[in-house]
Amino acid sequence: ENHNCFVEAAAAHSKLCPVLKDVLQIRQNVDTLELAHQLARSGNADAVLKVGILNGANRKLCGNHWFQSGARFAIDENLHRRSASMARASLLLNLDTEPRPRRPSQLADTVRLFGGTVVGEAEL
């Protein structure tokens, strides 16, 4: 099913790139924000450790349905419920609290509307 697609892809690629196993960690049934905090604080105090959270998000609505009563255990909703900054950003970027038809450029256009800058993938 779709929820396993990242794990399955990582397993397939680790056969082609064995060092992937040294840098990729997959954790189940842990508090995502707490784990990210612990990982970011671990190791050498002078070293910069970058930690990323992979979120299987809803492509139609940033934050998915964090403002509603459903999906209480979904990572996307819980991240937004626990972070006022993420909740505010989602409301602004969505310009709505419900999924609706959007143009392919909608997110970039909304970021620019609020004075933000959009950096293309090729520019990274």
Side-chain angles (χ1 to χ4, degrees):
E1 290 200 30
N2 194 31
H3 68 277
N4 285 329
C5 64
F6 179 79
V7 175
E8 291 168 359
H13 284 287
S14 68
K15 294 174 185 168
L16 301 172
C17 181
V19 296
L20 183 62
K21 295 175 186 174
D22 298 332
V23 296
L24 178 65
Q25 295 182 20
I26 298 175
R27 309 277 180 100
Q28 290 181 294
N29 302 320
V30 297
D31 183 293
T32 306
L33 292 178
E34 180 61 26
L35 176 62
H37 180 73
Q38 289 174 1
L39 290 172
R41 295 188 55 163
S42 66
N44 184 343
D46 296 328
V48 176
L49 181 60
K50 295 180 182 179
V51 176
I53 297 173
L54 178 66
N55 180 6
N58 180 335
R59 294 184 319 193
K60 296 180 182 178
L61 194 64
C62 291
N64 210 358
H65 296 280
W66 61 266
F67 44 82
Q68 295 175 344
S69 60
R72 293 195 183 274
F73 300 107
I75 182 175
D76 203 31
E77 284 87 348
N78 284 330
L79 288 172
H80 286 77
R81 283 186 186 113
R82 294 174 54 196
S83 170
S85 297
M86 288 178 76
R88 285 189 299 268
S90 292
L91 285 171
L92 290 171
L93 292 173
N94 289 329
L95 295 174
D96 206 339
T97 58
E98 293 295 327
R100 59 185 168 92
R102 298 176 192 275
R103 297 180 315 277
S105 63
Q106 183 71 49
L107 180 58
D109 294 343
T110 305
V111 167
R112 290 184 192 102
L113 173 73
F114 289 112
T117 303
V118 176
V119 179
E121 187 177 343
E123 298 172 60
L124 294 176

